[in-house]
Amino acid sequence: MTDANGRPIVAELGRPETAEETWARKDAARTARRQHQTAFNLVIALIASLGIVLFLVAVVVRPNTTVDRTVDYQQIAADAHVGDVTLAAPDLPSGFTSNRADFSDKTADDVDVWTVGFVTPDKQYLSLQQGVDANGSWVSNQLDQRPSTGTRVIGDTKWTVYDRRSEGSDAGNHAYSLVSTFGTNTIVLSGTADDASYRTVATAVAKQFSQ
């Protein structure tokens, strides 16, 4: 229906719209479209974000195989071409395994470093780092610049102790450390193992270097 001037009559009003009413209706429609588009875009963004998260979980997150991986640290030490340097590869009792063994020459502190990662029988971590002709800076860096907390004698060997177990998880894999020197080799033992495991490894290291 239209009025005498041919303008459409709005059923709700019973008359044609005024110019202001027409503008308000169109503006309301535009606002509704914008709101709908914003909500739609938000849903798309959320779906895309979820897709990215799932992709990262699938691609980046891997099962932690570090502890389960076993390497023959003694064979790696025997095969290493390091001149006349004796690499620490102590004989340990059954139940101890190794998940890492590698040699790095001239680290940031200009020290050659042999590293072995041990997993104890109760599945705790204990690392052995051997600094060849190590300087004080290297030793300090391995221990996060922390001061020693005492000394202890294991067998006939004196070890400097760095005990951070009171710090809990903040100490990470440096909860407890032992440091001793055998000739030109400085040995740093660090990890979360118990005292018995430290005694076992420390004794075996001292035995190897005394032979």
Side-chain angles (χ1 to χ4, degrees), residues 47-138:
I47 293 174
S49 298
L50 179 60
I52 292 173
V53 170
L54 293 176
F55 173 79
L56 292 176
V57 169
V59 175
V60 177
V61 176
R62 296 282 193 273
N64 185 358
T65 57
T66 302
V67 172
D68 297 330
R69 183 171 69 100
T70 300
V71 301
D72 188 342
Y73 66 96
Q74 291 182 315
Q75 187 61 54
I76 294 173
D79 293 340
H81 301 289
V82 293
D84 59 354
V85 176
T86 298
L87 297 182
D91 290 320
L92 297 176
S94 175
F96 281 85
T97 59
S98 174
N99 58 18
R100 175 186 178 185
D102 55 74
F103 184 82
S104 300
D105 56 351
K106 302 307 176 188
T107 62
D109 296 298
D110 199 32
V111 175
D112 295 340
V113 181
W114 165 246
T115 302
V116 182
F118 293 113
V119 179
T120 66
D122 59 348
K123 303 304 180 184
Q124 294 299 308
Y125 184 70
L126 199 164
S127 74
L128 180 157
Q129 288 184 293
Q130 173 183 349
V132 181
D133 292 322
N135 50 50
S137 176
W138 178 81

Side-chain angles (χ1 to χ4, degrees), residues 9 15 19 80 91 108 110 160 170 178 188:
I9 296 175
R15 57 174 175 76
D91 290 320
D110 199 32
T160 302
D170 291 339
L178 296 176
V188 178

Side-chain angles (χ1 to χ4, degrees), residues 96-195:
F96 281 85
T97 59
S98 174
N99 58 18
R100 175 186 178 185
D102 55 74
F103 184 82
S104 300
D105 56 351
K106 302 307 176 188
T107 62
D109 296 298
D110 199 32
V111 175
D112 295 340
V113 181
W114 165 246
T115 302
V116 182
F118 293 113
V119 179
T120 66
D122 59 348
K123 303 304 180 184
Q124 294 299 308
Y125 184 70
L126 199 164
S127 74
L128 180 157
Q129 288 184 293
Q130 173 183 349
V132 181
D133 292 322
N135 50 50
S137 176
W138 178 81
V139 174
S140 182
N141 286 337
Q142 307 320 302
L143 301 164
D144 296 336
Q145 316 293 331
R146 296 303 182 100
S148 66
T149 56
T151 60
R152 64 182 292 190
V153 177
I154 300 176
D156 296 324
T157 304
K158 182 178 180 180
W159 296 80
T160 302
V161 177
Y162 296 79
D163 190 350
R164 297 173 56 189
R165 288 175 292 195
S166 62
E167 298 178 21
S169 60
D170 291 339
N173 282 333
H174 292 89
Y176 191 80
S177 302
L178 296 176
V179 180
S180 191
T181 300
F182 302 87
T184 60
N185 302 291
T186 299
I187 301 296
V188 178
L189 304 178
S190 291
T192 58
D194 59 16
D195 283 348

Side-chain angles (χ1 to χ4, degrees), residues 190-204:
S190 291
T192 58
D194 59 16
D195 283 348
S197 293
Y198 271 96
R199 284 195 302 271
T200 298
V201 175
T203 299

